[in-house]
Amino acid sequence: QQQVRQSSQSLTVWEGETAILNCSYENSAFDYFPWYQQFPGEGPALLIAIRSVSDKKEDGRFTIFFNKREKNLSLHIKDSQPGDSATYFCAANYNQGKLIFGQGTKLSIKP
Amino acid sequence: EAAVTQSPRNKVAVTGGKVTLSCNQTNNHNNMYWYRQDTGHGLRLIHYSYGAGSTEKGDIPDGYKASRPSQENFSLILELATPSQTSVYFCASGTGGVYEQYFGPGTRLTVL
């Protein structure tokens, strides 16, 4: 019931394409879903987040689509750039600011 | 001006030894967290704190203690380090209210 799952360990797309990273969860009480971006040797950095009362959140090239009924969400990265190559973590809040993380998806953008 | 800093950045310890990892934040956040990151597991919560003097167990607290002597500082203590505690450790701070967390650069710990 506390699981957050990311459907791919790795994903490769061409520069300029839209990268789609998928995430699912089990606990319907989760109410906040951040995505973190991590480069090698660095800590995760908050990229974009959505609350369960919304079904879409957009910030520049990054968009979260959220489906509460299906308990899944996806991160879309439009016009992918080589600098977007990183590991992306989906997470969920389960109790007063405590987050549970997915295992991460390593995204590679081919120039 | 990094808001969350960790020290040391790299540490090699011997089995059975005591290890202390330190974290300092200048965000003035009430909440602080310790995670470990292992391949295939994402980040897992070890201990957290809601303010100075408070520590709470996270999802994988066994073998670890935590200390929050001030708003700014949060330490993770391995009293008797074991090779299974070899990992990368991240500290984070957050307000709690809006659930955002901000991470430090990590400490790579190797226990031989």
Side-chain angles (χ1 to χ4, degrees):
Chain A
Q1 287 172 334
Q2 297 287 70
Q3 296 274 3
V4 173
R5 288 193 175 89
Q6 294 182 243
S7 59
S8 302
Q9 284 193 320
S10 63
L11 176 67
T12 301
V13 302
W14 293 101
E15 183 177 356
E17 291 185 335
T18 296
I20 300 174
L21 291 75
N22 296 305
C23 179
S24 63
Y25 63 98
E26 298 174 0
N27 191 334
S28 57
F30 292 167
D31 61 356
Y32 168 81
F33 300 86
W35 283 86
Y36 282 84
Q37 179 188 58
Q38 185 180 32
F39 295 106
E42 298 182 9
L46 180 63
L47 184 64
I48 186 172
I50 193 167
R51 297 198 177 273
S52 59
V53 294
S54 301
D55 56 14
K56 181 180 175 182
K57 178 74 177 290
E58 192 168 355
D59 185 357
R61 295 186 296 112
F62 302 93
T63 303
I64 300 174
F65 293 93
F66 180 71
N67 187 324
K68 188 170 185 176
R69 187 174 61 87
E70 299 292 330
K71 295 183 188 172
N72 60 46
L73 61 157
S74 59
L75 173 68
H76 291 226
I77 305 175
K78 275 192 308 188
D79 187 24
S80 296
Q81 305 295 312
D84 295 329
S85 295
T87 298
Y88 292 81
F89 292 95
C90 172
N93 171 68
Y94 66 101
N95 185 10
Q96 297 288 326
K98 289 165 60 180
L99 297 177
I100 184 164
F101 285 80
Q103 76 275 30
T105 297
K106 185 175 182 179
L107 176 64
S108 300
I109 308 299
K110 285 190 174 180
Chain B
E1 311 83 355
V4 181
T5 56
Q6 295 183 232
S7 63
R9 293 294 313 278
N10 291 280
K11 172 77 176 177
V12 178
V14 296
T15 297
K18 182 176 181 178
V19 177
T20 300
L21 307 182
S22 299
C23 177
N24 177 275
Q25 57 105 356
T26 58
N27 294 321
N28 197 32
H29 287 159
N30 289 331
N31 295 2
M32 295 187 74
Y33 309 84
W34 276 107
Y35 294 88
R36 62 178 285 174
Q37 183 176 40
D38 304 287
T39 303
H41 286 281
L43 292 99
R44 292 180 290 174
L45 182 64
I46 305 170
H47 284 288
Y48 61 101
S49 168
Y50 289 129
S54 98
T55 61
E56 307 287 340
K57 293 181 179 179
D59 300 321
I60 53 165
D62 293 346
Y64 303 93
K65 290 170 59 175
S67 173
R68 181 88 182 269
S70 66
Q71 176 84 340
E72 298 80 17
N73 295 295
F74 191 36
S75 297
L76 185 69
I77 302 151
L78 291 67
E79 295 276 6
L80 294 169
T82 68
S84 64
Q85 294 175 313
T86 293
S87 187
V88 181
Y89 291 86
F90 288 98
C91 175
S93 74
T95 61
V98 293
Y99 304 153
E100 294 177 358
Q101 293 185 20
Y102 298 90
F103 284 79
T107 294
R108 183 173 295 276
L109 173 65
T110 302
V111 183
L112 301 176

